[in-house]
Amino acid sequence: MRTRPLKVALLGCGVVGSEVARIMTTHADDLAARIGAPVELAGVAVRRPSKVREGIDPALVTTDATALVKRGDIDVVVEVIGGIEPARSLITTAFEHGASVVSANKALLAQDGAALHAAADDHDADLYYEAAVAGAIPLIRPLRESLAGDKVNRVLGIVNGTTNFILDKMDSTGAGYQEALDEATALGYAEADPTADVEGFDAAAKAAILAGIAFHTRVRLDDVYREGMIEVTSADFASAKAMGCTIKLLAICERAADGGSVTARVHPAMIPLSHPLASVRGAYNAVFVESDAAGQLMFYGPGAGGAPTASAVLGDLVAVCRNKLSGATGPGDSAYTQLPVSPMGEVVTRYHISLDVADKPGVLAQVATVFAEHGVSIDTVRQQGRQDGGGDASLVVVTHRASDASLTGTVEALRNLDTVRGVASIMRVEGE
Ligand code: HSE
């Protein structure tokens, strides 16, 4: 074994960074044996130097992250500060000064992955980011390496633990969105400002990264259609249950049947209880992958948290250190296919539409005609008279597969019917 250590700079020492430092210390001998050389924590860049960080030599702590990555003796920079800047500049500077990079930064990778990969290539460096998607779950490396000989056609994932916790709570207890969110906040699953999670931004960044790797093409954050889950109601769950389904916030990346384009989207959807993703409870994540040769695969585990995310970071650190020792680099960007990303209007799926309608002769026929005029075929219709004496009824229509554009046109036309009092909810039905 080489005795001269590989030097690691840690950018950020919060929930994840402190776990990375702890595991580097407590597992030092095993890491050295697996890598073939010791790894040394050579510096830790933080914003608040006065904060006590157990197990970290205060002499290693600095507020000057730029000086740390410019030192010249750093072999690997571990970036766990998140956000776009200064992370982007620090990573680029790290490459320029001979370091490889391990990052957990989904927002940055989703927005600037191409430029960062190019910078890594220019400097014969590695850029690894297993922790950026679904925390501890091995996903990036299986897609990049284990499935490199296969053809992935679809990735369907629960990639946000906060929203899965909320939806699971709503499903299992009948709680409304706000009540379930409050509990998620009290238990530390949801942040004080939960927007990134509940509006689907976090999942959209992960979808962009997964789609790019799965389909060997460029998918940017802006290419991902996004709907949050704040409008999901207890009534939606009741409807889902009536269909033998539950509701999940899904990230869905698909290759078109003709192979000529891809789509990436994040939105709440009904999935059958028989689908493996339906049994993903609490704050867990899971990603279901469908490929030509392997068939169906599911990756499951904790998608967030200090130690689980640090596990993924450490796995990357070992891989990057091994590459450094052998003078090689691992698999880099593989966006060679340049497939167009189709707009949401071209996505084809099934829909569950809940309408409030007048309960009088001819209404069902009128509604059915609107669906027919837009080329949307109805699978089932369920009508229930309301008990409020207002002469209205609830009409639930489930369609066969149709394009999102056709469905949007249908709903617009339905809203213009005098007999349709309101469109209570529209939800896609996936995983069948
Ligand atoms: N906030 C994310 C989640 C974890 O709830 O899954 C980090 O991406």
Side-chain angles (χ1 to χ4, degrees):
M1 186 186 329
R2 189 177 101 158
T3 52
R4 188 160 54 82
L6 287 148
K7 294 195 176 180
V8 176
L10 181 59
L11 309 183
C13 199
V15 176
V16 176
S18 57
E19 281 297 314
V20 170
R22 181 185 67 76
I23 298 170
M24 282 183 68
T25 308
T26 56
H27 295 188
D29 291 344
D30 283 330
L31 291 172
R34 291 169 196 174
I35 291 167
V39 272
E40 176 189 310
L41 191 57
V44 182
V46 300
R47 261 188 314 189
R48 283 173 295 147
S50 53
K51 190 173 156 192
V52 176
R53 294 178 172 86
E54 210 179 309
I56 294 181
D57 179 354
L60 297 179
V61 174
T62 176
T63 53
D64 193 345
T66 304
L68 179 58
V69 299
K70 278 184 173 175
R71 257 171 49 172
D73 65 335
I74 300 296
D75 295 290
V76 184
V77 168
V78 173
E79 182 271 306
V80 284
I81 51 181
I84 304 301
E85 285 294 352
R88 175 171 50 197
S89 302
L90 290 168
I91 290 175
T92 309
T93 307
F95 291 141
E96 288 164 1
H97 288 77
S100 282
V101 172
V102 174
S103 173
N105 195 330
K106 64 202 159 239
L108 181 57
L109 266 305
Q111 183 180 303
D112 282 332
L116 292 175
H117 273 294
D121 278 355
D122 287 347
H123 296 92
D124 292 326
D126 274 328
L127 172 62
Y128 276 45
Y129 43 91
E130 183 67 68
V133 181
I137 307 174
L139 198 53
I140 305 289
R141 200 158 317 141
L143 284 171
R144 257 184 171 183
E145 300 182 34
S146 317
L147 292 168
D150 204 341
K151 182 182 175 200
V152 175
N153 296 311
R154 195 159 191 245
V155 178
L156 188 68
I158 295 168
V159 292
N160 184 273
T162 306
T163 48
N164 201 56
F165 178 90
I166 295 169
L167 291 170
D168 186 27
K169 199 46 78 185
M170 291 173 74
D171 190 18
S172 58
T173 68
Y177 165 72
Q178 191 60 49
E179 190 187 335
L181 171 63
D182 289 346
E183 185 171 348
T185 309
L187 291 171
Y189 290 120
E191 297 187 26
D193 177 359
T195 309
D197 293 321
V198 300
E199 292 287 4
F201 292 102
D202 175 85
K206 293 165 179 171
I209 295 171
L210 289 178
I213 294 173
F215 306 137
H216 301 272
T217 193
R218 185 75 58 219
V219 179
R220 295 175 185 81
L221 185 54
D222 290 348
D223 296 322
V224 182
Y225 174 84
R226 178 193 54 78
E227 269 176 40
M229 45 70 73
I230 60 174
E231 286 173 12
V232 177
T233 63
S234 312
D236 291 327
F237 273 103
S239 295
K241 276 197 177 122
M243 283 181 63
C245 289
T246 187
I247 298 170
K248 297 289 186 188
L249 183 72
L250 297 178
I252 305 170
C253 314
E254 287 173 314
R255 187 194 293 278
D258 67 3
S261 61
V262 299
T263 53
R265 53 196 164 111
V266 168
H267 53 71
M270 293 184 182
I271 53 167
L273 293 171
S274 56
H275 193 283
L277 287 176
S279 59
V280 177
R281 311 294 303 269
Y284 276 84
N285 284 192
V287 177
F288 196 75
V289 177
E290 296 173 11
S291 70
D292 267 3
Q296 298 180 328
L297 305 161
M298 186 151 107
F299 301 84
Y300 171 84
T309 308
S311 166
V313 170
L314 265 294
D316 279 354
L317 181 62
V318 168
V320 168
C321 285
R322 286 173 176 158
N323 292 342
K324 277 260 168 196
L325 284 185
S326 64
T329 51
D333 200 12
S334 182
Y336 64 90
T337 57
Q338 297 178 5
L339 295 171
V341 184
S342 300
M344 187 61 190
E346 290 177 26
V347 165
V348 173
T349 189
R350 298 178 68 206
Y351 298 84
H352 175 286
I353 301 124
S354 181
L355 305 168
D356 293 329
V357 298
D359 195 0
K360 59 185 190 186
V363 173
L364 193 55
Q366 254 186 349
V367 167
T369 302
V370 169
F371 278 86
E373 282 171 354
H374 290 82
V376 179
S377 175
I378 292 173
D379 181 18
T380 61
V381 180
R382 185 163 48 90
Q383 179 175 327
Q384 201 169 10
R386 294 236 304 255
Q387 306 304 313
D388 53 17
D392 286 357
S394 291
L395 199 61
V396 172
V397 178
V398 180
T399 73
H400 287 295
R401 284 165 61 79
S403 74
D404 215 76
S406 305
L407 196 280
T408 302
T410 306
V411 171
E412 267 172 32
L414 287 171
R415 284 189 208 277
N416 288 332
L417 290 180
D418 288 344
T419 48
V420 173
R421 312 285 191 223
V423 179
S425 89
I426 305 164
M427 197 158 300
R428 297 174 184 91
V429 183
E430 303 286 342
E432 291 179 308

PDB file of all heavy atoms in Angstrom, residues 86-108:
ATOM      1  N   PRO A  86     -21.351  29.551  -4.213  1.00  0.00           N
ATOM      2  CA  PRO A  86     -20.044  29.450  -4.867  1.00  0.00           C
ATOM      3  C   PRO A  86     -19.649  28.035  -5.296  1.00  0.00           C
ATOM      4  O   PRO A  86     -18.540  27.839  -5.778  1.00  0.00           O
ATOM      5  CB  PRO A  86     -19.087  29.957  -3.777  1.00  0.00           C
ATOM      6  CG  PRO A  86     -19.720  29.491  -2.501  1.00  0.00           C
ATOM      7  CD  PRO A  86     -21.215  29.601  -2.722  1.00  0.00           C
ATOM      8  N   ALA A  87     -20.578  27.058  -5.144  1.00  0.00           N
ATOM      9  CA  ALA A  87     -20.195  25.669  -5.427  1.00  0.00           C
ATOM     10  C   ALA A  87     -19.619  25.512  -6.844  1.00  0.00           C
ATOM     11  O   ALA A  87     -18.582  24.868  -7.041  1.00  0.00           O
ATOM     12  CB  ALA A  87     -21.407  24.761  -5.233  1.00  0.00           C
ATOM     13  N   ARG A  88     -20.295  26.122  -7.838  1.00  0.00           N
ATOM     14  CA  ARG A  88     -19.849  25.966  -9.227  1.00  0.00           C
ATOM     15  C   ARG A  88     -18.422  26.475  -9.419  1.00  0.00           C
ATOM     16  O   ARG A  88     -17.564  25.788  -9.992  1.00  0.00           O
ATOM     17  CB  ARG A  88     -20.808  26.707 -10.164  1.00  0.00           C
ATOM     18  CG  ARG A  88     -20.357  26.694 -11.621  1.00  0.00           C
ATOM     19  CD  ARG A  88     -21.432  27.250 -12.524  1.00  0.00           C
ATOM     20  NE  ARG A  88     -21.956  28.530 -12.066  1.00  0.00           N
ATOM     21  CZ  ARG A  88     -23.104  29.068 -12.475  1.00  0.00           C
ATOM     22  NH1 ARG A  88     -23.837  28.425 -13.364  1.00  0.00           N
ATOM     23  NH2 ARG A  88     -23.505  30.227 -12.023  1.00  0.00           N
ATOM     24  N   SER A  89     -18.139  27.683  -8.914  1.00  0.00           N
ATOM     25  CA  SER A  89     -16.797  28.259  -9.070  1.00  0.00           C
ATOM     26  C   SER A  89     -15.763  27.424  -8.327  1.00  0.00           C
ATOM     27  O   SER A  89     -14.644  27.223  -8.820  1.00  0.00           O
ATOM     28  CB  SER A  89     -16.757  29.685  -8.528  1.00  0.00           C
ATOM     29  OG  SER A  89     -17.706  30.465  -9.202  1.00  0.00           O
ATOM     30  N   LEU A  90     -16.124  26.943  -7.165  1.00  0.00           N
ATOM     31  CA  LEU A  90     -15.165  26.156  -6.376  1.00  0.00           C
ATOM     32  C   LEU A  90     -14.838  24.839  -7.078  1.00  0.00           C
ATOM     33  O   LEU A  90     -13.683  24.413  -7.119  1.00  0.00           O
ATOM     34  CB  LEU A  90     -15.735  25.883  -4.981  1.00  0.00           C
ATOM     35  CG  LEU A  90     -15.824  27.111  -4.071  1.00  0.00           C
ATOM     36  CD1 LEU A  90     -16.659  26.812  -2.827  1.00  0.00           C
ATOM     37  CD2 LEU A  90     -14.430  27.589  -3.668  1.00  0.00           C
ATOM     38  N   ILE A  91     -15.851  24.207  -7.663  1.00  0.00           N
ATOM     39  CA  ILE A  91     -15.616  22.934  -8.363  1.00  0.00           C
ATOM     40  C   ILE A  91     -14.730  23.175  -9.587  1.00  0.00           C
ATOM     41  O   ILE A  91     -13.770  22.439  -9.850  1.00  0.00           O
ATOM     42  CB  ILE A  91     -16.960  22.276  -8.756  1.00  0.00           C
ATOM     43  CG1 ILE A  91     -17.673  21.768  -7.502  1.00  0.00           C
ATOM     44  CG2 ILE A  91     -16.759  21.160  -9.759  1.00  0.00           C
ATOM     45  CD1 ILE A  91     -19.073  21.213  -7.736  1.00  0.00           C
ATOM     46  N   THR A  92     -15.032  24.220 -10.331  1.00  0.00           N
ATOM     47  CA  THR A  92     -14.229  24.533 -11.523  1.00  0.00           C
ATOM     48  C   THR A  92     -12.785  24.827 -11.124  1.00  0.00           C
ATOM     49  O   THR A  92     -11.833  24.345 -11.759  1.00  0.00           O
ATOM     50  CB  THR A  92     -14.853  25.744 -12.249  1.00  0.00           C
ATOM     51  OG1 THR A  92     -16.236  25.475 -12.444  1.00  0.00           O
ATOM     52  CG2 THR A  92     -14.205  25.984 -13.594  1.00  0.00           C
ATOM     53  N   THR A  93     -12.621  25.602 -10.063  1.00  0.00           N
ATOM     54  CA  THR A  93     -11.268  25.928  -9.592  1.00  0.00           C
ATOM     55  C   THR A  93     -10.541  24.661  -9.128  1.00  0.00           C
ATOM     56  O   THR A  93      -9.340  24.494  -9.361  1.00  0.00           O
ATOM     57  CB  THR A  93     -11.344  26.957  -8.436  1.00  0.00           C
ATOM     58  OG1 THR A  93     -12.117  28.061  -8.866  1.00  0.00           O
ATOM     59  CG2 THR A  93      -9.966  27.428  -8.014  1.00  0.00           C
ATOM     60  N   ALA A  94     -11.286  23.755  -8.490  1.00  0.00           N
ATOM     61  CA  ALA A  94     -10.679  22.501  -8.035  1.00  0.00           C
ATOM     62  C   ALA A  94     -10.104  21.724  -9.232  1.00  0.00           C
ATOM     63  O   ALA A  94      -8.964  21.243  -9.182  1.00  0.00           O
ATOM     64  CB  ALA A  94     -11.718  21.653  -7.302  1.00  0.00           C
ATOM     65  N   PHE A  95     -10.887  21.630 -10.321  1.00  0.00           N
ATOM     66  CA  PHE A  95     -10.392  20.935 -11.519  1.00  0.00           C
ATOM     67  C   PHE A  95      -9.124  21.620 -12.035  1.00  0.00           C
ATOM     68  O   PHE A  95      -8.146  20.962 -12.392  1.00  0.00           O
ATOM     69  CB  PHE A  95     -11.454  20.932 -12.631  1.00  0.00           C
ATOM     70  CG  PHE A  95     -12.654  20.066 -12.343  1.00  0.00           C
ATOM     71  CD1 PHE A  95     -13.934  20.494 -12.702  1.00  0.00           C
ATOM     72  CD2 PHE A  95     -12.521  18.817 -11.757  1.00  0.00           C
ATOM     73  CE1 PHE A  95     -15.048  19.702 -12.459  1.00  0.00           C
ATOM     74  CE2 PHE A  95     -13.635  18.015 -11.502  1.00  0.00           C
ATOM     75  CZ  PHE A  95     -14.894  18.465 -11.856  1.00  0.00           C
ATOM     76  N   GLU A  96      -9.170  22.946 -12.087  1.00  0.00           N
ATOM     77  CA  GLU A  96      -8.020  23.704 -12.619  1.00  0.00           C
ATOM     78  C   GLU A  96      -6.757  23.485 -11.798  1.00  0.00           C
ATOM     79  O   GLU A  96      -5.654  23.653 -12.296  1.00  0.00           O
ATOM     80  CB  GLU A  96      -8.358  25.206 -12.642  1.00  0.00           C
ATOM     81  CG  GLU A  96      -9.370  25.578 -13.719  1.00  0.00           C
ATOM     82  CD  GLU A  96      -9.995  26.952 -13.496  1.00  0.00           C
ATOM     83  OE1 GLU A  96      -9.636  27.637 -12.507  1.00  0.00           O
ATOM     84  OE2 GLU A  96     -10.869  27.319 -14.298  1.00  0.00           O
ATOM     85  N   HIS A  97      -6.943  23.093 -10.537  1.00  0.00           N
ATOM     86  CA  HIS A  97      -5.782  22.895  -9.670  1.00  0.00           C
ATOM     87  C   HIS A  97      -5.508  21.416  -9.409  1.00  0.00           C
ATOM     88  O   HIS A  97      -4.871  21.050  -8.415  1.00  0.00           O
ATOM     89  CB  HIS A  97      -5.952  23.687  -8.365  1.00  0.00           C
ATOM     90  CG  HIS A  97      -5.807  25.161  -8.587  1.00  0.00           C
ATOM     91  ND1 HIS A  97      -6.813  25.931  -9.141  1.00  0.00           N
ATOM     92  CD2 HIS A  97      -4.760  25.987  -8.403  1.00  0.00           C
ATOM     93  CE1 HIS A  97      -6.397  27.181  -9.269  1.00  0.00           C
ATOM     94  NE2 HIS A  97      -5.150  27.246  -8.821  1.00  0.00           N
ATOM     95  N   GLY A  98      -5.999  20.566 -10.301  1.00  0.00           N
ATOM     96  CA  GLY A  98      -5.577  19.162 -10.298  1.00  0.00           C
ATOM     97  C   GLY A  98      -6.391  18.215  -9.455  1.00  0.00           C
ATOM     98  O   GLY A  98      -6.030  17.040  -9.330  1.00  0.00           O
ATOM     99  N   ALA A  99      -7.485  18.700  -8.879  1.00  0.00           N
ATOM    100  CA  ALA A  99      -8.281  17.803  -8.026  1.00  0.00           C
ATOM    101  C   ALA A  99      -9.424  17.180  -8.814  1.00  0.00           C
ATOM    102  O   ALA A  99      -9.901  17.753  -9.798  1.00  0.00           O
ATOM    103  CB  ALA A  99      -8.833  18.585  -6.837  1.00  0.00           C
ATOM    104  N   SER A 100      -9.855  16.007  -8.374  1.00  0.00           N
ATOM    105  CA  SER A 100     -11.134  15.457  -8.816  1.00  0.00           C
ATOM    106  C   SER A 100     -12.187  15.897  -7.820  1.00  0.00           C
ATOM    107  O   SER A 100     -11.857  16.377  -6.730  1.00  0.00           O
ATOM    108  CB  SER A 100     -11.064  13.931  -8.896  1.00  0.00           C
ATOM    109  OG  SER A 100     -10.378  13.549 -10.070  1.00  0.00           O
ATOM    110  N   VAL A 101     -13.463  15.721  -8.190  1.00  0.00           N
ATOM    111  CA  VAL A 101     -14.535  16.260  -7.348  1.00  0.00           C
ATOM    112  C   VAL A 101     -15.611  15.204  -7.102  1.00  0.00           C
ATOM    113  O   VAL A 101     -16.020  14.481  -8.012  1.00  0.00           O
ATOM    114  CB  VAL A 101     -15.164  17.509  -8.016  1.00  0.00           C
ATOM    115  CG1 VAL A 101     -16.416  17.961  -7.259  1.00  0.00           C
ATOM    116  CG2 VAL A 101     -14.146  18.647  -8.089  1.00  0.00           C
ATOM    117  N   VAL A 102     -16.035  15.150  -5.852  1.00  0.00           N
ATOM    118  CA  VAL A 102     -17.222  14.385  -5.467  1.00  0.00           C
ATOM    119  C   VAL A 102     -18.231  15.411  -4.971  1.00  0.00           C
ATOM    120  O   VAL A 102     -17.919  16.226  -4.103  1.00  0.00           O
ATOM    121  CB  VAL A 102     -16.898  13.379  -4.341  1.00  0.00           C
ATOM    122  CG1 VAL A 102     -18.174  12.713  -3.849  1.00  0.00           C
ATOM    123  CG2 VAL A 102     -15.885  12.344  -4.819  1.00  0.00           C
ATOM    124  N   SER A 103     -19.426  15.392  -5.534  1.00  0.00           N
ATOM    125  CA  SER A 103     -20.420  16.401  -5.174  1.00  0.00           C
ATOM    126  C   SER A 103     -21.757  15.740  -4.858  1.00  0.00           C
ATOM    127  O   SER A 103     -22.089  14.693  -5.401  1.00  0.00           O
ATOM    128  CB  SER A 103     -20.587  17.388  -6.335  1.00  0.00           C
ATOM    129  OG  SER A 103     -21.658  18.265  -6.077  1.00  0.00           O
ATOM    130  N   ALA A 104     -22.522  16.413  -3.985  1.00  0.00           N
ATOM    131  CA  ALA A 104     -23.885  15.940  -3.687  1.00  0.00           C
ATOM    132  C   ALA A 104     -24.900  16.955  -4.187  1.00  0.00           C
ATOM    133  O   ALA A 104     -26.045  16.946  -3.781  1.00  0.00           O
ATOM    134  CB  ALA A 104     -24.040  15.757  -2.175  1.00  0.00           C
ATOM    135  N   ASN A 105     -24.470  17.808  -5.126  1.00  0.00           N
ATOM    136  CA  ASN A 105     -25.216  19.020  -5.468  1.00  0.00           C
ATOM    137  C   ASN A 105     -26.152  18.819  -6.663  1.00  0.00           C
ATOM    138  O   ASN A 105     -25.790  19.082  -7.814  1.00  0.00           O
ATOM    139  CB  ASN A 105     -24.188  20.126  -5.760  1.00  0.00           C
ATOM    140  CG  ASN A 105     -24.812  21.489  -5.768  1.00  0.00           C
ATOM    141  OD1 ASN A 105     -25.983  21.645  -6.097  1.00  0.00           O
ATOM    142  ND2 ASN A 105     -24.024  22.478  -5.425  1.00  0.00           N
ATOM    143  N   LYS A 106     -27.375  18.376  -6.375  1.00  0.00           N
ATOM    144  CA  LYS A 106     -28.314  18.072  -7.476  1.00  0.00           C
ATOM    145  C   LYS A 106     -28.677  19.300  -8.288  1.00  0.00           C
ATOM    146  O   LYS A 106     -28.781  19.243  -9.508  1.00  0.00           O
ATOM    147  CB  LYS A 106     -29.576  17.413  -6.934  1.00  0.00           C
ATOM    148  CG  LYS A 106     -30.346  18.345  -6.036  1.00  0.00           C
ATOM    149  CD  LYS A 106     -31.255  17.669  -5.095  1.00  0.00           C
ATOM    150  CE  LYS A 106     -31.530  18.626  -3.960  1.00  0.00           C
ATOM    151  NZ  LYS A 106     -31.177  18.176  -2.679  1.00  0.00           N
ATOM    152  N   ALA A 107     -28.885  20.452  -7.599  1.00  0.00           N
ATOM    153  CA  ALA A 107     -29.313  21.656  -8.321  1.00  0.00           C
ATOM    154  C   ALA A 107     -28.235  22.063  -9.329  1.00  0.00           C
ATOM    155  O   ALA A 107     -28.528  22.375 -10.489  1.00  0.00           O
ATOM    156  CB  ALA A 107     -29.573  22.789  -7.334  1.00  0.00           C
ATOM    157  N   LEU A 108     -26.995  22.023  -8.892  1.00  0.00           N
ATOM    158  CA  LEU A 108     -25.892  22.423  -9.776  1.00  0.00           C
ATOM    159  C   LEU A 108     -25.710  21.424 -10.919  1.00  0.00           C
ATOM    160  O   LEU A 108     -25.550  21.822 -12.077  1.00  0.00           O
ATOM    161  CB  LEU A 108     -24.607  22.537  -8.945  1.00  0.00           C
ATOM    162  CG  LEU A 108     -23.361  22.967  -9.700  1.00  0.00           C
ATOM    163  CD1 LEU A 108     -23.549  24.303 -10.392  1.00  0.00           C
ATOM    164  CD2 LEU A 108     -22.163  23.036  -8.748  1.00  0.00           C
TER     165      LEU A 108
END
